[in-house]
Amino acid sequence: MTRHEEQDDAGRRAGRRPGVLKAAGLGLAAALVVGAGTAGWAYWRLEDNIKGVDIDNALGDNRPVRAVTTPQPSASPLPTEAVNILVLGSDSRSGEENQELGGGDSSGARSDTAMVVHIDAGRTKATVVSIPRDTLVTRPSCPLSDGGTTAVAHGAMFNTAYSLGGPVCAVKTVESITDVRMDHYIEVDFSGFAKLVDALGGVTVTTDEDIDDDDSHLRLAAGTHHLNGTRALALARTRHGIGDGSDLGRIGLQQRLVKALLEQIASTDLLTSPAKLYKVAYAVTAGLTTDTGLDSLAELTELGRSLKGLPADGVKTVTMPVVAAPSDPNRVVAREPAASALWKSLK
């Protein structure tokens, strides 16, 4: 078994932990349910924070078919059909604020975290699949906002789709490599993530090994630490200071971090502090971009409420099966036929 296969199998075992569905970003909707109950001016300010991208219109009909669904019972006001959501964590490296957060010297933005969240019909089971950003793929031609298109690229790194063509190209690339229709898109900006951590008063995480990463500017001894937003974001960016420095190690670290953050949210009684509640809700929405089917508090709230019957043990998390790329040992490619079988199981 190769190094990447061992890490993949380990990641799948470690991933079967409670609450990982929320780690994929869907817990945001629950926070917005509470935010929607604040004063009218606050509601509209939060609503105005959310950025929407019309992905369906940009991509047209040349996409995988939608899953066949059974009409929901009339007694249920909430959606119950199966749904696929692409969740991205975007890492902007430009600007003074991001420089202060350890963003490095490069410009633009990259999708440093990518998860396909499949929720089964009935919404009582779900599968979360992480896609390593270093995966080499065939990036399809994507439409651009200026009316042009990008060229097809073979052997391109997966995360270049976002940096080249934004959410539209990220969705089209995921659909191209999975043949699974993405019904929705949710993007969380990493600087907004840092603000959320600070709004909650920090987050406590435990690391199994020492971390010393010059790129993320993070140095932590193995053990339990309470991190502020800046250091939590550095932990999310860390890859060279753990394991063999591959992106597979960072995926596990990010899952652990967000699980700790969700535990922090659960242990914080926001209802007793309207000021803190608003601060948290503002931090969430300020860093949020969605497709136009989720770009309102009402739509996000409906999504969150539709998941109330999803138990922790109904969630399975895996990493897309990969092996070292023949052309570059520092990159990975999908391990077949396991990867195709995984995506087929989500249809």
Side-chain angles (χ1 to χ4, degrees):
M1 181 178 288
T2 69
R3 167 171 58 91
H4 290 287
E5 289 174 315
E6 291 170 350
Q7 286 178 303
D8 178 48
D9 289 342
R12 280 180 284 175
R13 291 193 297 270
R16 296 187 182 97
R17 297 178 295 186
V20 184
L21 178 62
K22 290 183 178 179
L26 298 182
L28 293 173
L32 293 171
V33 173
V34 182
T38 61
W41 68 268
Y43 178 94
W44 291 115
R45 191 176 182 194
L46 296 177
E47 176 101 359
D48 191 55
N49 275 345
I50 305 169
K51 297 177 285 293
V53 179
D54 192 351
I55 291 173
D56 286 345
N57 184 60
L59 293 183
D61 297 327
N62 187 21
R63 304 175 64 186
V65 297
R66 294 186 185 275
V68 177
T69 59
T70 302
Q72 63 186 29
S74 58
S76 174
L78 296 172
T80 60
E81 70 273 11
V83 63
N84 296 307
I85 305 172
L86 175 60
V87 179
L88 293 187
S90 65
D91 189 5
S92 177
R93 305 258 167 156
S94 60
E96 181 178 349
E97 182 180 19
N98 282 294
Q99 289 295 316
E100 292 175 353
L101 289 171
D105 298 325
S106 59
S107 61
R110 306 184 298 189
S111 56
D112 275 10
T113 303
M115 300 178 184
V116 173
V117 181
H118 172 80
I119 305 167
D120 289 0
R123 307 204 176 183
T124 59
K125 293 183 180 180
T127 303
V128 180
V129 184
S130 294
I131 303 176
R133 75 169 196 172
D134 291 345
T135 305
L136 299 182
V137 301
T138 295
R139 190 182 64 225
S141 174
C142 298
L144 297 174
S145 57
D146 62 3
T149 58
T150 66
V152 174
H154 301 281
M157 272 182 56
F158 169 75
N159 73 333
T160 63
Y162 179 90
S163 60
L164 187 66
V168 171
C169 197
V171 169
K172 185 163 186 179
T173 300
V174 169
E175 291 184 342
S176 176
I177 66 177
T178 66
D179 196 32
V180 175
R181 173 77 170 241
M182 296 297 109
D183 300 297
H184 291 298
Y185 171 83
I186 294 176
E187 176 187 327
V188 182
D189 179 77
F190 275 14
S191 62
F193 171 81
K195 292 176 183 177
L196 174 60
V197 171
D198 284 335
L200 288 167
V203 60
T204 300
V205 295
T206 300
T207 60
D208 297 329
E209 58 183 304
D210 295 344
I211 295 175
D212 187 355
D213 190 339
D214 290 336
D215 288 347
S216 67
H217 311 298
L218 182 67
R219 288 163 181 77
L220 282 179
T224 301
H225 304 271
H226 190 74
L227 306 178
N228 64 13
T230 299
R231 284 164 67 79
L233 179 58
L235 184 63
R237 284 173 166 155
T238 293
R239 64 178 295 179
H240 299 296
I242 56 171
D244 63 359
S246 76
D247 196 44
L248 297 176
R250 175 164 56 180
I251 286 174
L253 197 60
Q254 289 175 344
Q255 289 181 343
R256 179 176 299 191
L257 172 62
V258 180
K259 181 177 182 293
L261 180 61
L262 266 294
E263 291 172 349
Q264 175 69 17
I265 292 174
S267 65
T268 303
D269 189 0
L270 296 176
L271 292 177
T272 62
S273 176
K276 189 169 187 177
L277 167 62
Y278 177 76
K279 186 177 181 181
V280 169
Y282 190 87
V284 169
T285 56
L288 192 65
T289 300
T290 72
D291 67 281
T292 49
L294 286 179
D295 62 350
S296 71
L297 291 178
E299 289 163 329
L300 284 167
T301 296
E302 181 181 66
L303 174 63
R305 292 177 59 214
S306 76
L307 301 178
K308 63 182 180 181
L310 179 63
D313 60 5
V315 179
K316 179 175 70 171
T317 62
V318 299
T319 299
M320 183 181 77
V322 295
V323 294
S327 60
D328 186 344
N330 294 316
R331 302 287 181 257
V332 297
V333 294
R335 175 162 55 89
E336 298 295 0
S340 292
L342 172 60
W343 297 125
K344 186 177 181 180
S345 72
L346 304 186
K347 293 185 177 182

